[in-house]
Amino acid sequence: MSDKKQEILQELYPEDIYHYASKLTLGEAEVLQQTRQILEKEVRPVINDSWEKAQFPFEQFYKLADAGIMNSPKLFEGREGERKPREIYNAFLYYELARFDASVATFYTVHGGLGYNTLLLGGDERQVAEFAPKVANFEWQTCFALTEPDHGSDIAGGLATTAKREGDHWILNGEKRWIGGADTADIVPVFARDVDDHKIKCFVVRKGAKGYNAVPIQHKAALRPVQNGHITIEDVVVPETDRLQNINGFKDVANILIHTRADVAHIATGMTGGAYTATVKVANSRDQFGKKLCHFQITQEKLARMLANVTSAIAYSVRIAELMDEGEYEMVNSALAKMHNALVMRETAALGRGIVGGNGITLETDIARFFADAEAIYTYEGTHEVNALIVGREITGKGAFV
Ligand SMILES: Cc1cc2nc3c(=O)[nH]c(=O)nc-3n(C[C@H](O)[C@H](O)[C@H](O)COP(=O)(O)OP(=O)(O)OC[C@H]3O[C@@H](n4cnc5c(N)ncnc54)[C@H](O)[C@@H]3O)c2cc1C
C-alpha cells in the first residue's frame, strides 16, 4: 500500500483493524477524505438541529457534490465511460456517510442508490443519457416510489397503483408511502401495475406534475431530518417516453433491489462503525469512581464486542462489493448481508447507548442518533424477517413467505 493511501485510511478508519479499506485505490481514498472534510466542516455544525427540527440540511449536504462523490474522475481511473464507481468504493462511501449520520446516508441512498440505479438499470440509452448526468452531479434530485400504504413486505404481489395506457401516454392512480425525498424530488420513479397486462412498470413523474401530491410523514422517531412522503397520485399523465423502457415486471424491480439492498447493508455497517467510534470517545473521556469509563473491565468487554461487530459488518460489505464487481451476485448475497449487518448495528448502538449512560440519550454524544435511527435501517430495504426468509429459501429450497 502506498504511504499516502495508508496515511489517509489510518486517519479515516482506525477501527478497520483488518485493513479492509486497503482495497480502495488512492483516488478513491482521496474522495472519501474530502467527503469527511465536508461532512465535518459543513454538516457537523447543523446535524443535531436538523434532527431535532426534522429538517434536512440541503444546503450543507449538496456541498458533497464538490467532492464528486458520484462522478469524480478519481473514481473512474482506468474505467472511463462507466456510469458508476467501483462497488468497493460505493461500500466505503456508504460507510463514510453512515458513520457520520444515518439520515445523510439514507438521503443519499434514496438519490444515488435507489433512484440512480432505477434510472441506470431501467432506462434505455436515451433515458440514461438524459437523466444520469444530472443525477450524478446533484443537479436533479431523484427518489424511488415503490412501497404503498397497504403493501410493504408483500409489494411484489400486492402493488396496487395502476397505469393505463392511452395512446402515447399513461394515466397513473394510487398511493405510495414512506418515499424518501418525495416532496422535493425533481424526478420520481413511480412503480405501477399496467391494468392491461398486469405487469409492474416504472414511470418517471416530473416535478410539478398535475395530480401528484407528496406530504411528509410527521412525528417520526428515527431519521427525523429525512422527509418520507405519503404520495397521492390522481390521474397523473406520463408520456410513454418517460416510462423506463427496461422495467417490464417485478423481476426487473428485484434486480434493482439486489443492488440497493447491498447499499443499505453498507449503511448498517457505517452506523455500526459510527456508534462504536462515538462510544469509545465518551468511554475515554468520562470519569466515574475516579477513573475513565474505559478502565472498567465490563466496559472493555462491551467495546470488544462492538469492535467485533464493526469488523464482521465491514467483512460482509467488502465481500459483497467484491462479488458485485466480479459480476457474480444474487439476491441472497444482499439479503444475508443486510440481515446480518442490521442485527449487529442494532446491538452495537444499544451497547453504546448503555455505556454512555444518561448522556447517551442526548444528541450531544451522537450515540442517541445512531440508537434511534438504527430502528429505521432495521426495517427498510427488506425487514429482518423478509431478508431471513430469502436466506431461508436459499438454505431449504422452500419459499416460506406465505
Ligand atoms: C425510514 C423509512 C424509509 C423508507 N424509504 C422508502 C423509499 O424511499 N421508497 C420505498 O419504496 N419504500 C421505502 N420504505 C418502505 C420500506 O421498504 C417498508 O417499510 C418495508 O418494506 C416494510 O414494509 P412495512 O413497513 O409496510 O411493514 P410490513 O410489511 O407491514 O411488515 C410488518 C412486520 O411484519 C413482518 N412480516 C411481513 N411479512 C412477513 C412474513 N411473510 N413472515 C414473517 N414476518 C413478516 C415484517 O418483517 C415486519 O416486522 C421506507 C421505510 C422506512 C421505515
Side-chain angles (χ1 to χ4, degrees):
M1 199 179 353
S2 76
D3 286 351
K4 187 162 179 218
K5 186 171 93 175
Q6 196 169 3
E7 212 176 286
I8 293 173
L9 294 177
Q10 185 53 37
E11 171 209 321
L12 292 181
Y13 311 123
E15 70 276 17
D16 173 23
I17 56 165
Y18 289 167
H19 306 302
Y20 283 110
S22 65
K23 293 166 188 285
L24 295 164
T25 64
L26 174 60
E28 290 166 341
E30 285 173 343
V31 174
L32 293 170
Q33 185 183 40
Q34 202 186 342
T35 304
R36 171 73 58 89
Q37 286 159 0
I38 293 168
L39 288 171
E40 289 300 333
K41 180 164 177 268
E42 306 290 343
V43 192
R44 174 73 67 198
V46 296
I47 194 63
N48 287 340
D49 268 1
S50 300
W51 205 92
E52 202 150 58
K53 293 178 183 158
Q55 290 169 351
F56 194 76
F58 285 106
E59 189 191 326
Q60 293 79 4
F61 174 84
Y62 282 123
K63 298 263 165 56
L64 290 171
D66 296 347
I69 60 174
M70 290 178 75
N71 60 2
S72 165
K74 289 183 182 177
L75 305 175
F76 293 91
E77 283 159 8
R79 51 201 312 274
E80 289 73 13
E82 297 273 348
R83 294 269 184 201
K84 282 185 74 184
R86 295 193 310 149
E87 290 295 337
I88 190 84
Y89 160 79
N90 191 46
F92 277 96
L93 174 64
Y94 279 110
Y95 186 81
E96 175 61 32
L97 297 176
R99 184 182 185 276
F100 176 81
D101 177 67
S103 297
V104 168
T106 296
F107 187 84
Y108 174 72
T109 196
V110 166
H111 172 84
L114 284 156
Y116 193 55
N117 282 325
T118 302
L119 298 167
L120 288 186
L121 297 169
D124 62 15
E125 219 174 288
R126 177 190 58 79
Q127 292 171 325
V128 171
E130 180 189 358
F131 298 129
K134 290 195 169 77
V135 170
N137 69 15
F138 294 93
E139 193 181 328
W140 279 356
Q141 184 205 322
T142 188
C143 63
F144 180 86
L146 177 66
T147 304
E148 300 183 347
D150 294 332
H151 297 288
S153 303
D154 70 353
I155 192 70
L159 192 142
T161 298
T162 58
K164 169 100 184 113
R165 184 156 186 175
E166 289 187 357
D168 61 1
H169 62 267
W170 295 78
I171 312 287
L172 307 190
N173 277 288
E175 278 180 90
K176 296 285 171 185
R177 188 161 172 85
W178 288 114
I179 312 309
D183 58 329
T184 48
D186 298 286
I187 47 171
V188 182
V190 171
F191 294 86
R193 194 179 295 279
D194 182 342
V195 293
D196 290 321
D197 68 7
H198 307 291
K199 298 255 168 69
I200 292 175
K201 297 181 176 157
C202 186
F203 302 84
V204 176
V205 175
R206 297 186 187 235
K207 196 173 206 156
K210 197 161 166 264
Y212 173 93
N213 189 28
V215 178
I217 296 172
Q218 299 297 310
H219 309 305
K220 286 191 300 155
L223 298 180
R224 286 179 52 74
V226 179
Q227 301 306 311
N228 291 97
H230 186 117
I231 306 177
T232 49
I233 299 163
E234 285 174 9
D235 293 330
V236 171
V237 178
V238 178
E240 164 65 7
T241 46
D242 277 354
R243 180 179 69 79
L244 295 180
Q245 300 293 311
N246 295 328
I247 298 180
N248 293 298
F250 197 81
K251 69 171 186 351
D252 298 322
V253 183
N255 190 32
I256 297 166
L257 295 178
I258 287 178
H259 292 80
T260 54
R261 197 155 288 179
D263 293 344
V264 180
H266 304 323
I267 291 180
T269 306
M271 289 176 68
T272 310
Y276 165 81
T277 306
T279 305
V280 170
K281 203 167 141 197
V282 176
N284 283 341
S285 59
R286 180 169 169 81
D287 287 298
Q288 285 298 293
F289 295 96
K291 53 186 181 180
K292 306 281 179 224
L293 295 178
C294 65
H295 285 275
F296 299 116
Q297 288 183 344
I298 294 179
T299 306
Q300 289 199 5
E301 187 271 345
K302 288 178 188 160
L303 291 175
R305 276 165 63 195
M306 292 167 76
L307 181 59
N309 285 347
V310 175
T311 307
S312 69
I314 295 179
Y316 271 87
S317 276
V318 165
R319 188 60 194 140
I320 60 173
E322 284 176 338
L323 287 172
M324 266 195 214
D325 278 332
E326 290 160 14
E328 281 180 41
Y329 203 75
E330 291 173 18
M331 181 58 101
V332 67
N333 301 124
S334 294
L336 185 65
K338 166 55 199 356
M339 184 191 81
H340 172 272
N341 292 1
L343 278 175
V344 298
M345 162 199 67
R346 215 180 186 202
E347 183 189 63
T348 307
L351 283 168
R353 224 246 14 99
I355 289 174
V356 176
N359 293 325
I361 63 159
T362 77
L363 295 173
E364 302 309 321
T365 54
D366 289 342
I367 191 72
R369 270 189 290 115
F370 288 115
F371 181 71
D373 292 343
E375 292 308 301
I377 311 304
Y378 186 69
T379 288
Y380 79 64
E381 267 303 325
T383 62
H384 169 76
E385 290 76 13
V386 163
N387 282 312
L389 286 168
I390 293 170
V391 177
R393 182 177 57 191
E394 182 74 13
I395 299 168
T396 64
K398 310 272 183 247
F401 295 86
V402 180

